[in-house]
Amino acid sequence: MQLQAKASLERRAHDGTEHVRRTAITDVDQLEVVPGFVHEAIEGWVPTLASDEDLRSALEKAFDYRGDITITRRDGSKVEGYLFDRRTGATLADSAVRILPKDSNVRLTIPYSENRALAFTGRDTAAGKSWEAWMRKYWEKKAAGETGIALEPEALE
């Protein structure tokens, strides 16, 4: 008898507008070979924000980014930090991002309409740290004849 697993994923925006549901029956023995999520290499990217849709798309990528971003506001001030939340509305004025600034513990809320520029300035802290990369390092050490192998996590800055 072969075991079956049922997997589903739901994702919703805060206002409930976005809804994605995937349901699949998968052979449990096949779960180890299921491909993982591939993140875009956007570290250092400065998107062109020519339209409202460009801004929305860039801020969505910034939300998924695992490093700091820098937002330049319409008044010229800059905020660098980690974007940890976003709320999307019908207009840019109704939408906002929430950022934990690099130099403060105060959480800032910045409306989309105040954004003039965006840059992915911080190091992507998870880049190259997939399960496959971890296993590759492990097997390289094992092939080299090392014993008592322990792959330690990289120190955070």
Side-chain angles (χ1 to χ4, degrees):
M1 182 171 118
Q2 204 159 23
L3 297 175
Q4 298 286 318
K6 186 174 184 178
S8 70
L9 166 70
E10 288 191 40
R11 181 176 175 194
R12 292 185 185 185
H14 290 284
D15 61 1
T17 57
E18 181 181 352
H19 178 72
V20 176
R21 183 183 181 115
R22 285 181 252 164
T23 303
I25 303 298
T26 308
D27 181 352
V28 173
D29 293 332
Q30 297 292 323
L31 288 178
E32 290 187 28
V33 294
V34 173
F37 180 77
V38 177
H39 289 279
E40 289 182 73
I42 56 178
E43 185 175 320
W45 180 47
V46 180
T48 303
L49 306 177
S51 68
D52 291 357
E53 188 54 39
D54 290 342
L55 177 62
R56 287 181 185 275
S57 176
L59 288 172
E60 191 64 29
K61 289 181 183 190
F63 176 70
D64 290 334
Y65 188 60
R66 297 147 307 174
D68 286 348
I69 63 163
T70 300
I71 290 179
T72 303
R73 293 177 168 177
R74 297 245 178 247
D75 65 5
S77 64
K78 293 185 178 189
V79 177
E80 182 178 7
Y82 183 74
L83 191 154
F84 67 93
D85 190 19
R86 87 281 192 220
R87 296 186 179 134
T88 56
T91 66
L92 294 184
D94 295 336
S95 305
V97 293
R98 295 181 63 206
I99 295 180
L100 183 59
K102 194 173 190 176
D103 56 359
S104 169
N105 287 331
V106 176
R107 291 176 169 91
L108 297 177
T109 301
I110 303 172
Y112 282 25
S113 59
E114 284 187 27
N115 289 279
R116 183 175 70 193
L118 174 67
F120 293 78
T121 52
R123 184 175 71 90
D124 185 348
T125 57
K129 295 185 178 105
S130 66
W131 172 252
E132 292 82 11
W134 188 88
M135 288 303 297
R136 185 174 50 253
K137 288 178 189 175
Y138 173 84
W139 287 112
E140 285 171 0
K141 288 182 178 188
K142 187 148 181 104
E146 290 185 37
T147 58
I149 303 169
L151 293 175
E152 299 297 326
E154 194 176 289
L156 297 175
E157 297 161 30

